[in-house]
Amino acid sequence: MTASLEQLRRCHFAVDLGAARTRVYVKGAGLVVDQPSVAAVNTRTGALIAVGELAEKMTGRTPHYIRVVRPVSGGTVVDIEMAQRMLRHLLGEKVRRALRRKPRLRAAACTPHDADPLARRATVETLVGLGARRVELVDTLIAAAVGCGLPVEQPEATMVLVCGAAATQVAVLSLGSIVTAARIPVGGEAVDHAIVQHLRHAHELMLPSQSVRPLQLALSSNGLTPRGPASTEIHGRDVATGLARSVRVDTAAVRNAIQTPLTAVLDGIGRVLRDCPPDLVADLADRGIMMVGGSALLPGFDQMLRQATGMPVHIAERPDVCAVQGLGTMLEGRIEPLALDPRDPRDT
């Protein structure tokens, strides 16, 4: 944990800047923002037209002078100024006014595992621009583990798999720290891209970038498992004619198309287990893997991991908000460090 629990208890709000969604937790108020990390800008005037869900609906539907931007990529802020403007609008005047009343405003933020110094600095500068006098950084893996209720402060192994939009992070935790971890540059977007490419090459069909996720169109019910539906109907645009067309797609072929990105995740889990001490691996055989993150809801993904690893696999109750809820738990002081109880020398 980059910041200590005592430092986090002094923070007033926490931010989880994700590639797909931005979430803000305010101490005493709970989760106040849960919106897509998207902003729409008028390139003629520089004015911010929309943020969040409204801006996401504009993707692929705007005239040439309106640009839809994503200031966060892979959990890293790539446009500090736009990220600050987006956060200001998402928070709203009422919340920002309440935060400004704090004498020394402190903030906490999630950072991806092994984030480089430039990425960490970009996150800090983004929150400093919102008025924070001090910013505490917490590894996303630890925040997510705390948010889904894992006993990270105990001397027991817990394995968490953070399935993000741009990357997947996996780690074994014990005594409040990361024992071994890996970051795989494959996430929900890679799975969606694999489905889009399959439909383009096999059926000459282009899917719309908006309305519904390609993944939700192509997979339903049991999804990745063979017990899922044999076929499903997909609506899109013909590559050659440009006209609207519908095709019936064999879901078995879709499952084969997404095996490549998911295999990379399995390789990352195997690499972490190989680097883990044997005593902790023995704990994991009973406790299993906890899946968090929006892409953890991919239908059948947990069953695929269960079959490949032979370990129990669980999905958190609300996997998409575990990281920011974990930060909120630390801010509110609801997690206690492991208390050592040394024996009295007179008892020996």
Side-chain angles (χ1 to χ4, degrees):
M1 190 180 296
T2 310
S4 68
L5 290 174
E6 187 59 36
Q7 290 172 323
L8 290 170
R9 287 194 188 99
R10 300 194 189 111
C11 294
H12 301 98
F13 71 104
V15 179
D16 178 17
L17 281 168
R21 299 184 75 87
T22 292
R23 299 176 176 93
V24 180
Y25 186 102
V26 175
K27 193 173 185 177
L31 189 64
V32 297
V33 173
D34 185 2
Q35 293 279 341
S37 304
V38 189
V41 184
N42 187 327
T43 57
R44 293 174 178 172
T45 62
L48 200 61
I49 298 174
V51 295
E53 291 180 354
L54 181 57
E56 190 174 49
K57 291 178 181 178
M58 295 181 180
T59 304
R61 304 171 186 268
T62 59
H64 69 279
Y65 61 90
I66 295 179
R67 186 166 59 98
V68 177
V69 297
R70 292 182 177 270
V72 184
S73 176
T76 302
V77 178
V78 293
D79 188 336
I80 296 175
E81 181 184 356
M82 188 55 63
Q84 291 173 349
R85 296 176 67 185
M86 179 185 73
L87 277 171
R88 288 193 192 100
H89 281 75
L90 289 176
L91 284 171
E93 184 60 34
K94 183 178 179 181
V95 176
R96 286 190 289 123
R97 191 184 304 117
L99 291 175
R100 281 198 297 265
R101 294 195 189 104
K102 308 295 181 183
R104 286 186 61 84
L105 186 62
R106 290 171 175 252
C110 289
T111 55
H113 179 66
D114 285 345
D116 59 76
L118 286 178
R120 292 172 178 270
R121 184 177 178 85
T123 302
V124 170
E125 289 188 5
T126 299
L127 297 185
V128 168
L130 292 177
R133 301 290 297 274
R134 183 181 176 89
V135 179
E136 308 291 353
L137 299 180
V138 179
D139 196 300
T140 302
L141 289 162
I142 295 180
V146 172
C148 62
L150 293 177
V152 295
E153 294 293 331
Q154 299 301 317
E156 303 172 357
T158 54
M159 191 171 195
V160 61
L161 183 72
V162 180
C163 309
T168 300
Q169 304 173 70
V170 57
V172 175
L173 310 175
S174 181
L175 292 173
S177 299
I178 295 174
V179 178
T180 177
R183 188 166 183 263
I184 306 122
V186 171
E189 293 175 353
V191 175
D192 288 352
H193 181 71
I195 295 174
V196 169
Q197 292 302 310
H198 167 73
L199 294 176
R200 184 184 181 99
H201 295 143
H203 300 277
E204 297 185 348
L205 192 74
M206 290 184 65
L207 292 183
S209 60
Q210 277 306 111
S211 70
V212 288
R213 289 182 61 199
L215 181 61
Q216 301 302 325
L217 277 172
L219 298 176
S220 59
S221 183
N222 291 322
L224 301 180
T225 63
R227 294 190 300 274
S231 62
T232 184
E233 190 172 12
I234 304 292
H235 306 281
R237 189 184 75 184
D238 190 280
V239 174
T241 65
L243 301 176
R245 183 163 65 91
S246 300
V247 297
R248 184 155 287 278
V249 178
D250 182 12
T251 52
V254 175
R255 287 197 297 270
N256 293 333
I258 63 179
Q259 288 300 316
T260 300
L262 294 183
T263 301
V265 175
L266 294 177
D267 292 341
I269 294 175
R271 190 164 61 250
V272 168
L273 289 174
R274 285 193 297 271
D275 295 339
C276 189
D279 291 343
L280 295 182
V281 174
D283 290 347
L284 296 175
D286 297 327
R287 305 182 68 91
I289 305 172
M290 179 64 76
M291 296 177 64
V292 300
S295 299
L297 298 173
L298 176 63
F301 190 20
D302 57 331
Q303 298 181 34
M304 179 181 176
L305 291 177
R306 198 173 294 117
Q307 293 173 359
T309 62
M311 295 192 301
V313 178
H314 315 281
I315 300 178
E317 185 176 352
R318 293 193 62 192
D320 51 336
V321 297
C322 279
V324 72
Q325 290 287 10
L327 286 177
T329 299
M330 297 182 218
L331 261 63
E332 303 285 1
R334 292 197 295 266
I335 179 173
E336 296 294 333
L338 180 66
L340 299 178
D341 187 17
R343 297 181 60 184
D344 192 322
R346 292 172 296 180
D347 296 339
T348 57

